[in-house]
Amino acid sequence: MQGSTFGFLTSNDIRFGRGVAKQAVPDIAALGSPLLLVHGKNGERCRWLSAALAGAGVEICTFAVAREPDIYMISDGVSLARAAKVKAVVALGGGAVIDAGKALAALVPATRPMMDHLEVVGQGLPLTEAPLPFAAMPTTSGTGAEVTKNAVLSVPDAKRKVSLRDARMLPDLAIVDPSLTDGCPKPVTLASGLDAVTQVIEPYLSSKANWMTDALCRSAIASGMAALVRLMECEDEEARDQLAYTSLCGGLTLANSGLGAVHGLAGVLGGVTLAAHGALCGTLLPHVLTYNERKLQQAEGYEESLARINDVRGWLALALDCTPELAFSRLADWSEAQGLPGLSGLGLQPNDIATVAEASVSSSSMKGNPIPLTTVELEAIMKDAL
C-alpha cells in the first residue's frame, strides 16, 4: 500500500488553541536574549508580545517584514541581528513573516554566503551551523510555515521564489493560537485559507503520501473548506479555529509528503508576478485538479490516485453544497464570487506563460504531483486560470 513505510519530521513543540500564545511567553523568553522579534508591517500587532518579553527580562530588537521576503530584505535582517548579537528569534505574523524569521534564524550563524544555501538559483548546500533557537506564531491561517523546514525567498534578479531548506530550520516552538487570526481581513482570509485547503489536498494526492499524512488530510479538507465558506459570510470563532487547524495540518503534511502542480506553478508565478502566494494557489487549484483527473483517467495503473481525486471531489462538494461532479467548477466559481482574481488579474502576462511552464515543470513540488504534467499541459492550466 502507498506510504506504508515513512518518516515524519516536525517542530519540536507544537501548541494549539486559544490562549496558548500568551501562555508561551516564558518559554519564548527562555530561548535567549537579546531576541529578534520579527513582525509584519504594522508593529502595533506585536506590542503585547514585546511588552511581555521585556517584562520577563528579555532584551528585544525588532525587524519589520512589510512584504514577502526577498534576499535583500533578509541580508538587511542578518546584518541587524548580528550587530545586536541576538541569541534567538521569534516571528509573529503571516507566512511571509514566519519565513523571514526562519531564514534569519538560519543565516545569522551561517559562515557561508546566503546564495550557497538557496535551491535552484544557488548551490542548495546544507547549513554549516545550527540555526538560532526559533519560535513561530502565525497570525493567518494559510502556509503552515510554523511546522516546515524551509523558508521561501524571492530572488528579484532571477524572477524566482526559491527555498532555503534544512531540517534544523524546523521551529523549536510552533504556537498556533487561532485568536491571533480573529478579524483578519476577508481578502487575506480568502487567499491564505485557499492556500491552507490546497495544502491538505495536494499532500493527500501526492505520490509520496503516507498513512500519517493521509489521516491529517482527511480530517481537514472538508472542514477547512467549510470553515472558509463560513468566514466569507461572517466572523466566527469556531470557523477560525478550524481553519487554523487546517493550516497546521497543511504544514505538517506538505513537509512530509510533498505537494503538487499547484505549488509547482505558484512558486514560479510568484517570482514573475509578485502576487500573493495564497491567491495564486487558490486560483490554480480547481484547474490543476481538473487536469490531473483528466490525465489520470487516460493513463493505466493510477486507480488509487483516481480514487483519491474522487475523495477530494466529495469533500469539496460537502463544503460547497453541490454534487461531486460539480465540485471543481463550483470551487472556481465560488472563489471568483468572493473576489479572487484570475491569473491575469494577479499580473500574469500571456507571453510569460511558456516561460513559467518551462521553469515549473522541474520544480521540487512537481515531483509530488500524482501524475507527471508536460509543459504543454501546464500552459493549458494557466490559460484556463487567466
Side-chain angles (χ1 to χ4, degrees):
M1 180 178 176
Q2 181 181 16
S4 57
T5 300
F6 62 90
F8 197 90
L9 189 67
T10 192
S11 300
N12 291 340
D13 188 348
I14 301 171
R15 303 180 192 180
F16 182 96
R18 290 183 173 266
V20 298
K22 290 183 178 178
Q23 294 167 9
V25 168
D27 296 303
I28 296 171
L31 294 177
S33 179
L35 182 144
L36 179 65
L37 172 55
V38 184
H39 59 80
K41 181 178 180 180
N42 182 3
E44 289 298 320
R45 297 190 67 184
C46 72
R47 296 291 184 220
W48 69 270
L49 180 58
S50 180
L53 290 170
V58 178
E59 182 182 343
I60 302 291
C61 63
T62 62
F63 184 72
V65 177
R67 62 183 191 279
E68 294 193 2
D70 61 31
I71 56 173
Y72 302 113
M73 176 194 293
I74 297 304
S75 291
D76 290 343
V78 168
S79 297
L80 171 71
R82 286 176 175 169
K85 298 182 179 180
V86 302
K87 300 295 190 295
V89 180
V90 59
L92 173 70
V97 173
I98 293 175
D99 272 356
K102 200 185 300 183
L104 292 170
L107 292 172
V108 168
T111 57
R112 301 180 69 104
M114 184 193 318
M115 294 299 291
D116 285 0
H117 302 294
L118 292 182
E119 298 176 349
V120 182
V121 298
Q123 298 183 51
L125 297 176
L127 298 172
T128 56
E129 306 293 330
L132 296 177
F134 176 57
M137 306 175 76
T139 60
T140 61
S141 297
T143 67
E146 68 275 8
V147 288
T148 62
K149 61 185 178 183
N150 68 303
V152 179
L153 306 177
S154 291
V155 185
D157 295 341
K159 292 187 176 181
R160 290 295 298 268
K161 284 185 177 180
V162 300
S163 280
L164 170 67
R165 192 185 310 269
D166 191 288
R168 292 170 294 176
M169 288 171 61
L170 281 160
D172 299 277
L173 275 173
I175 309 299
V176 185
D177 187 332
S179 70
L180 298 178
T181 72
D182 288 346
C184 185
K186 277 192 174 183
V188 177
T189 298
L190 177 65
S192 60
L194 284 169
D195 189 21
V197 171
T198 301
Q199 290 180 174
V200 283
I201 289 176
E202 288 207 295
Y204 184 69
L205 299 177
S206 172
S207 59
K208 298 181 282 185
N210 63 64
W211 288 349
M212 186 171 288
T213 58
D214 282 354
L216 291 166
C217 292
R218 289 191 185 106
S219 73
I221 294 174
S223 56
M225 189 69 225
L228 183 55
V229 169
R230 176 65 174 165
L231 289 167
M232 291 299 99
E233 297 169 350
C234 65
E235 187 65 25
D236 185 292
E237 281 192 7
E238 186 176 346
R240 289 286 180 196
D241 292 355
Q242 182 57 59
L243 195 57
Y245 174 73
T246 298
S247 179
L248 174 61
C249 288
L252 292 167
T253 55
L254 75 87
N256 289 283
S257 63
L259 289 161
V262 173
H263 280 78
L265 286 166
V268 180
L269 284 166
V272 170
T273 67
L274 303 182
H277 173 76
L280 291 167
C281 288
T283 300
L284 289 165
L285 177 60
H287 304 286
V288 169
L289 288 171
T290 298
Y291 269 82
N292 274 339
E293 182 178 51
R294 185 179 304 163
K295 189 163 186 180
L296 288 166
Q297 289 170 339
Q298 296 169 351
E300 293 183 0
Y302 287 93
E303 291 78 12
E304 182 178 353
S305 294
L306 269 175
R308 286 171 177 258
I309 288 248
N310 284 330
D311 288 342
V312 172
R313 274 194 177 276
W315 290 324
L316 290 177
L318 185 65
L320 293 166
D321 192 24
C322 65
T323 63
E325 293 75 21
L326 295 176
F328 298 162
S329 60
R330 179 65 62 87
L331 175 60
D333 292 343
W334 178 86
S335 298
E336 182 180 1
Q338 302 309 312
L340 187 71
L343 290 183
S344 59
L346 293 171
L348 179 63
Q349 301 299 317
N351 57 2
D352 286 330
I353 287 177
T355 302
V356 171
E358 187 65 36
S360 300
V361 74
S362 59
S363 70
S364 59
S365 290
M366 285 292 180
K367 297 173 184 176
N369 204 59
I371 192 166
L373 297 175
T374 66
T375 55
V376 172
E377 288 163 335
L378 295 176
E379 287 180 30
I381 288 169
M382 286 185 281
K383 289 175 182 176
D384 282 355
L386 277 175

